[in-house]
Amino acid sequence: MHKVNALRTLLEDERQMILNGDFRDLPALTKAKEDALSQLGESSATQKQLAELQTIAARNQSLLTAAANGIRSARKRLEAIRDRDQGIKTYTRTGASRILSRKPSSFEKRA
């Protein structure tokens, strides 16, 4: 039972790290989870306990997937903003690529 609780605690710690966006400490937690899993094989965990641990691990995996998708989406958005300032890549009728750049505004603000 102690080994099951130890792994459950690690999985809950992992969940909190993901929810807090504290990803830099996750690799260290991976080693601790591997050790706990290897010790779990030597314990007398019940099917119910193992199923609960599997559910918690699957939830964490879903959170990690969502976080990765969010990071990818943010990166794409930042790239789009950066590229917008450099111009928009389009194609001519012949298929040649062309950059349409933004012309600076000639409008002048005065106080």
Side-chain angles (χ1 to χ4, degrees), residues 27-109:
L29 188 65
T30 301
K31 175 67 174 135
K33 285 189 330 184
E34 288 173 356
D35 292 344
L37 279 171
S38 67
Q39 292 176 7
L40 189 63
E42 301 165 3
S43 73
S44 58
T46 66
Q47 285 296 107
K48 182 179 177 182
Q49 291 170 326
L50 294 175
E52 180 185 346
L53 291 173
Q54 185 176 14
T55 299
I56 296 169
R59 177 198 61 197
N60 288 358
Q61 182 60 49
S62 294
L63 290 172
L64 282 170
T65 301
N69 289 339
I71 290 168
R72 240 181 263 111
S73 179
R75 181 180 298 142
K76 284 181 183 178
R77 180 67 182 133
L78 289 172
E79 288 172 1
I81 290 169
R82 187 188 70 233
D83 291 344
R84 183 193 69 166
D85 292 340
Q86 295 175 357
I88 298 172
K89 184 176 183 178
T90 63
Y91 296 91
T92 64
R93 290 182 191 171
T94 61
S97 66
R98 183 172 96 179
I99 302 291
L100 297 177
S101 59
R102 293 178 44 186
K103 295 180 182 177
S105 175
S106 61
F107 183 75
E108 187 177 313
K109 290 184 180 181

